Amino acid sequence: MTISVGDKLPTTTFKEKTADGPVEVTTDQLFKGKRVVLFAVPGAFTPTCSLNHLPGYLENRDAILARGVDEIAVVAVNDLHVMGAWATASGGMGKIHFLSDWNAAFTKALGMDIDLSAGTLGIRSKRYSMLVEDGVVKTLNVEESPGQATVSGAAAMLEQL
């Protein structure tokens, strides 16, 4: 089953590397009572993710927050250290949450997993974005191809806010 608008997000725990070190972040901590933009990428440091998808959210961070969004988060099936390095390298550390779904538990629970083994990436997340209010999906934008970041990009999300 794939998550849909109106569905509640599954309960899980992410890992996040912060300036103070690694922390666990539960879905309740991140989403309960908040309006959150969450976007997912197939992999940190991959071309479309690093050159298009993530930069759009970093560049539009203030505009997104100005429209009543409390937090912005990116999730990927990568380990905590890779996500932390990506946060640092991109200049996004402390600006948005870089969530490690290291075992793909969240991604699989959403029905957003994709097998990219042919491209040597293994099981990863489909590329998508969503607006979540108090843990419930309000908008959902799934890319047809993992190599594109148009319907799930920051510009598209801004139009929906």
Side-chain angles (χ1 to χ4, degrees):
M1 179 191 113
T2 302
I3 192 112
S4 299
V5 171
D7 291 347
K8 184 163 178 52
L9 291 179
T11 300
T12 197
T13 300
F14 303 103
K15 304 282 187 188
E16 182 177 14
K17 198 163 192 179
T18 68
D20 297 326
V23 297
E24 291 189 346
V25 179
T26 66
T27 44
D28 275 353
Q29 289 171 316
L30 186 59
F31 298 105
K32 190 172 184 178
K34 296 178 189 173
R35 195 167 186 233
V36 179
V37 168
L38 175 69
F39 67 103
V41 297
F45 291 109
T46 57
T48 303
C49 305
S50 290
L51 300 175
N52 181 347
H53 211 185
L54 175 62
Y57 280 96
L58 289 173
E59 290 164 9
N60 289 286
R61 177 184 177 271
D62 292 342
I64 291 169
L65 297 178
R67 294 195 182 174
V69 171
D70 298 299
E71 305 276 352
I72 302 170
V74 59
V75 63
V77 181
N78 284 113
D79 68 66
L80 163 74
H81 305 291
V82 168
M83 292 301 285
W86 197 35
T88 300
S90 68
M93 179 73 77
K95 295 178 182 173
I96 67 173
H97 294 276
F98 285 75
L99 305 173
S100 167
D101 183 23
W102 75 98
N103 60 359
F106 180 74
T107 299
K108 289 178 180 178
L110 293 181
M112 289 292 184
D113 52 305
I114 184 171
D115 187 351
L116 297 176
S117 296
T120 70
L121 295 174
I123 300 300
R124 297 296 179 120
S125 176
K126 292 180 181 177
R127 186 182 306 280
Y128 64 86
S129 67
M130 61 174 68
L131 174 64
V132 181
E133 293 181 10
D134 196 24
V136 176
V137 178
K138 295 297 180 181
T139 63
L140 177 62
N141 312 294
V142 183
E143 296 289 349
E144 291 295 319
S145 166
Q148 296 180 3
T150 51
V151 299
S152 65
M157 180 56 71
L158 271 169
E159 290 179 12
Q160 296 173 346
L161 295 173

